[in-house]
mmCIF file of all heavy atoms in Angstrom:
data_model
loop_
_atom_site.group_PDB
_atom_site.id
_atom_site.type_symbol
_atom_site.label_atom_id
_atom_site.label_comp_id
_atom_site.label_asym_id
_atom_site.label_seq_id
_atom_site.Cartn_x
_atom_site.Cartn_y
_atom_site.Cartn_z
ATOM 1 N N ARG A 264 127.543 54.157 161.237
ATOM 2 C CA ARG A 264 127.784 53.815 159.861
ATOM 3 C C ARG A 264 128.332 52.438 159.697
ATOM 4 O O ARG A 264 129.245 52.040 160.426
ATOM 5 C CB ARG A 264 128.766 54.846 159.229
ATOM 6 C CG ARG A 264 128.386 56.320 159.343
ATOM 7 C CD ARG A 264 127.222 56.635 158.351
ATOM 8 N NE ARG A 264 127.515 56.110 157.084
ATOM 9 C CZ ARG A 264 126.545 56.047 156.075
ATOM 10 N NH1 ARG A 264 125.337 56.417 156.378
ATOM 11 N NH2 ARG A 264 126.834 55.584 154.872
ATOM 12 N N LEU A 266 128.868 51.364 156.311
ATOM 13 C CA LEU A 266 129.400 51.348 154.942
ATOM 14 C C LEU A 266 130.441 52.441 154.811
ATOM 15 O O LEU A 266 130.364 53.424 155.417
ATOM 16 C CB LEU A 266 128.277 51.613 153.920
ATOM 17 C CG LEU A 266 127.060 50.711 153.975
ATOM 18 C CD1 LEU A 266 126.044 51.015 152.857
ATOM 19 C CD2 LEU A 266 127.522 49.219 153.822
ATOM 20 N N ARG A 267 131.372 52.203 153.851
ATOM 21 C CA ARG A 267 132.392 53.212 153.553
ATOM 22 C C ARG A 267 131.906 54.269 152.630
ATOM 23 O O ARG A 267 132.504 55.290 152.492
ATOM 24 C CB ARG A 267 133.606 52.493 152.914
ATOM 25 C CG ARG A 267 134.292 51.541 153.799
ATOM 26 C CD ARG A 267 135.600 51.056 153.157
ATOM 27 N NE ARG A 267 135.370 50.376 151.876
ATOM 28 C CZ ARG A 267 135.524 50.928 150.671
ATOM 29 N NH1 ARG A 267 135.983 52.168 150.549
ATOM 30 N NH2 ARG A 267 135.340 50.274 149.564
ATOM 31 N N THR A 268 130.820 54.000 151.946
ATOM 32 C CA THR A 268 130.272 54.928 150.941
ATOM 33 C C THR A 268 128.748 54.955 151.021
ATOM 34 O O THR A 268 128.141 53.971 151.360
ATOM 35 C CB THR A 268 130.743 54.487 149.499
ATOM 36 O OG1 THR A 268 130.024 55.310 148.536
ATOM 37 C CG2 THR A 268 130.318 53.055 149.241
ATOM 38 N N THR A 269 128.185 56.031 150.662
ATOM 39 C CA THR A 269 126.786 56.136 150.572
ATOM 40 C C THR A 269 126.174 55.748 149.244
ATOM 41 O O THR A 269 124.925 55.683 149.084
ATOM 42 C CB THR A 269 126.261 57.577 150.910
ATOM 43 O OG1 THR A 269 126.824 58.453 149.909
ATOM 44 C CG2 THR A 269 126.719 58.047 152.280
ATOM 45 N N ARG A 270 127.037 55.454 148.286
ATOM 46 C CA ARG A 270 126.563 55.031 146.975
ATOM 47 C C ARG A 270 127.223 53.748 146.515
ATOM 48 O O ARG A 270 127.986 53.701 145.487
ATOM 49 C CB ARG A 270 126.800 56.119 145.965
ATOM 50 C CG ARG A 270 125.853 57.342 146.109
ATOM 51 C CD ARG A 270 124.439 56.878 145.841
ATOM 52 N NE ARG A 270 123.472 57.999 145.981
ATOM 53 C CZ ARG A 270 122.891 58.302 147.147
ATOM 54 N NH1 ARG A 270 123.160 57.566 148.253
ATOM 55 N NH2 ARG A 270 122.037 59.258 147.172
ATOM 56 N N PRO A 271 127.041 52.679 147.254
ATOM 57 C CA PRO A 271 127.599 51.390 146.792
ATOM 58 C C PRO A 271 126.754 50.809 145.647
ATOM 59 O O PRO A 271 125.634 51.199 145.476
ATOM 60 C CB PRO A 271 127.515 50.491 148.028
ATOM 61 C CG PRO A 271 126.283 51.048 148.716
ATOM 62 C CD PRO A 271 126.251 52.498 148.460
ATOM 63 N N ASN A 272 127.356 49.884 144.872
ATOM 64 C CA ASN A 272 126.551 49.078 144.021
ATOM 65 C C ASN A 272 125.927 47.957 144.864
ATOM 66 O O ASN A 272 126.641 47.311 145.642
ATOM 67 C CB ASN A 272 127.360 48.486 142.894
ATOM 68 C CG ASN A 272 127.799 49.555 141.913
ATOM 69 O OD1 ASN A 272 127.015 50.406 141.573
ATOM 70 N ND2 ASN A 272 129.062 49.447 141.462
ATOM 71 N N VAL A 273 124.589 47.768 144.798
ATOM 72 C CA VAL A 273 123.923 46.865 145.752
ATOM 73 C C VAL A 273 123.455 45.623 145.040
ATOM 74 O O VAL A 273 122.835 45.624 143.947
ATOM 75 C CB VAL A 273 122.696 47.584 146.371
ATOM 76 C CG1 VAL A 273 122.024 46.688 147.345
ATOM 77 C CG2 VAL A 273 123.161 48.840 147.005
ATOM 78 N N LEU A 355 115.912 53.605 144.678
ATOM 79 C CA LEU A 355 117.285 53.663 144.108
ATOM 80 C C LEU A 355 117.286 54.110 142.637
ATOM 81 O O LEU A 355 118.202 54.797 142.196
ATOM 82 C CB LEU A 355 117.993 52.366 144.302
ATOM 83 C CG LEU A 355 118.340 51.969 145.740
ATOM 84 C CD1 LEU A 355 119.245 50.741 145.845
ATOM 85 C CD2 LEU A 355 119.025 53.132 146.469
ATOM 86 N N GLU A 358 117.519 57.625 142.334
ATOM 87 C CA GLU A 358 118.877 58.095 142.600
ATOM 88 C C GLU A 358 119.859 57.790 141.529
ATOM 89 O O GLU A 358 121.080 58.020 141.636
ATOM 90 C CB GLU A 358 119.414 57.483 143.926
ATOM 91 C CG GLU A 358 118.596 57.796 145.170
ATOM 92 C CD GLU A 358 118.646 59.278 145.557
ATOM 93 O OE1 GLU A 358 119.755 59.812 145.443
ATOM 94 O OE2 GLU A 358 117.690 59.763 146.063
ATOM 95 N N TYR A 360 120.112 54.750 139.871
ATOM 96 C CA TYR A 360 120.521 53.292 139.852
ATOM 97 C C TYR A 360 119.844 52.559 138.729
ATOM 98 O O TYR A 360 118.597 52.748 138.545
ATOM 99 C CB TYR A 360 120.269 52.635 141.167
ATOM 100 C CG TYR A 360 121.300 52.842 142.248
ATOM 101 C CD1 TYR A 360 121.588 54.127 142.724
ATOM 102 C CD2 TYR A 360 122.079 51.768 142.708
ATOM 103 C CE1 TYR A 360 122.527 54.332 143.781
ATOM 104 C CE2 TYR A 360 122.988 51.952 143.695
ATOM 105 C CZ TYR A 360 123.229 53.212 144.207
ATOM 106 O OH TYR A 360 124.171 53.381 145.184
ATOM 107 N N HIS A 426 125.768 53.215 138.702
ATOM 108 C CA HIS A 426 125.388 52.498 139.919
ATOM 109 C C HIS A 426 124.222 51.583 139.572
ATOM 110 O O HIS A 426 123.390 51.836 138.688
ATOM 111 C CB HIS A 426 124.894 53.491 141.008
ATOM 112 C CG HIS A 426 126.027 54.344 141.522
ATOM 113 N ND1 HIS A 426 127.148 53.790 142.106
ATOM 114 C CD2 HIS A 426 126.198 55.660 141.566
ATOM 115 C CE1 HIS A 426 127.896 54.734 142.512
ATOM 116 N NE2 HIS A 426 127.404 55.904 142.198
ATOM 117 N N ASP A 477 133.391 48.621 145.558
ATOM 118 C CA ASP A 477 132.152 49.394 145.686
ATOM 119 C C ASP A 477 130.941 48.546 145.782
ATOM 120 O O ASP A 477 129.825 49.042 145.630
ATOM 121 C CB ASP A 477 132.024 50.271 144.449
ATOM 122 C CG ASP A 477 133.153 51.334 144.281
ATOM 123 O OD1 ASP A 477 133.486 51.907 145.391
ATOM 124 O OD2 ASP A 477 133.648 51.486 143.230
ATOM 125 N N LEU A 479 128.172 46.229 147.710
ATOM 126 C CA LEU A 479 127.437 45.797 148.954
ATOM 127 C C LEU A 479 126.583 44.566 148.562
ATOM 128 O O LEU A 479 125.694 44.712 147.740
ATOM 129 C CB LEU A 479 126.602 46.877 149.527
ATOM 130 C CG LEU A 479 125.661 46.420 150.631
ATOM 131 C CD1 LEU A 479 126.420 45.915 151.854
ATOM 132 C CD2 LEU A 479 124.735 47.572 151.070
ATOM 133 N N ALA A 512 132.249 47.470 150.077
ATOM 134 C CA ALA A 512 131.692 48.748 150.592
ATOM 135 C C ALA A 512 131.401 48.656 152.098
ATOM 136 O O ALA A 512 131.134 49.673 152.709
ATOM 137 C CB ALA A 512 130.399 48.957 149.887
ATOM 138 N N LEU A 532 118.895 49.819 155.034
ATOM 139 C CA LEU A 532 119.749 49.980 153.855
ATOM 140 C C LEU A 532 119.705 51.424 153.321
ATOM 141 O O LEU A 532 120.753 52.049 153.096
ATOM 142 C CB LEU A 532 119.301 49.030 152.745
ATOM 143 C CG LEU A 532 120.033 49.223 151.350
ATOM 144 C CD1 LEU A 532 121.492 48.940 151.452
ATOM 145 C CD2 LEU A 532 119.367 48.302 150.319
ATOM 146 N N LEU A 533 118.505 51.971 153.112
ATOM 147 C CA LEU A 533 118.386 53.287 152.553
ATOM 148 C C LEU A 533 118.935 54.362 153.572
ATOM 149 O O LEU A 533 119.501 55.403 153.176
ATOM 150 C CB LEU A 533 116.932 53.605 152.226
ATOM 151 C CG LEU A 533 116.353 52.739 151.144
ATOM 152 C CD1 LEU A 533 114.862 53.086 150.862
ATOM 153 C CD2 LEU A 533 117.098 52.884 149.797
ATOM 154 N N GLY A 534 118.771 54.081 154.904
ATOM 155 C CA GLY A 534 119.357 54.980 155.891
ATOM 156 C C GLY A 534 120.840 54.988 155.782
ATOM 157 O O GLY A 534 121.458 56.075 155.888
ATOM 158 N N GLN A 535 121.493 53.901 155.515
ATOM 159 C CA GLN A 535 122.978 53.880 155.341
ATOM 160 C C GLN A 535 123.429 54.597 154.098
ATOM 161 O O GLN A 535 124.488 55.111 154.028
ATOM 162 C CB GLN A 535 123.497 52.421 155.331
ATOM 163 C CG GLN A 535 123.385 51.721 156.669
ATOM 164 C CD GLN A 535 124.428 52.291 157.652
ATOM 165 O OE1 GLN A 535 125.602 52.272 157.435
ATOM 166 N NE2 GLN A 535 123.914 52.757 158.812
ATOM 167 N N MET A 536 122.461 54.610 153.135
ATOM 168 C CA MET A 536 122.798 55.278 151.817
ATOM 169 C C MET A 536 122.350 56.673 151.844
ATOM 170 O O MET A 536 122.534 57.371 150.765
ATOM 171 C CB MET A 536 122.170 54.464 150.698
ATOM 172 C CG MET A 536 122.673 53.006 150.543
ATOM 173 S SD MET A 536 121.823 52.102 149.276
ATOM 174 C CE MET A 536 122.421 52.978 147.814
ATOM 175 N N GLU A 537 121.806 57.202 152.926
ATOM 176 C CA GLU A 537 121.293 58.574 153.066
ATOM 177 C C GLU A 537 120.216 58.824 151.982
ATOM 178 O O GLU A 537 120.173 59.915 151.400
ATOM 179 C CB GLU A 537 122.421 59.552 152.989
ATOM 180 C CG GLU A 537 123.410 59.351 154.175
ATOM 181 C CD GLU A 537 124.566 60.343 154.145
ATOM 182 O OE1 GLU A 537 124.548 61.216 153.235
ATOM 183 O OE2 GLU A 537 125.425 60.279 154.994
ATOM 184 N N VAL A 538 119.374 57.830 151.730
ATOM 185 C CA VAL A 538 118.246 57.989 150.810
ATOM 186 C C VAL A 538 116.960 58.041 151.620
ATOM 187 O O VAL A 538 116.807 57.279 152.554
ATOM 188 C CB VAL A 538 118.193 56.801 149.792
ATOM 189 C CG1 VAL A 538 116.923 56.889 148.933
ATOM 190 C CG2 VAL A 538 119.468 56.750 148.970
#
Side-chain angles (χ1 to χ4, degrees):
R264 303 287 312 166
L266 305 180
R267 294 189 301 102
T268 173
T269 61
R270 287 295 179 269
N272 291 320
V273 182
L355 292 187
E358 299 292 323
Y360 276 65
H426 291 304
D477 295 317
L479 169 63
L532 173 62
L533 296 178
Q535 289 290 302
M536 297 177 67
E537 297 181 3
V538 175

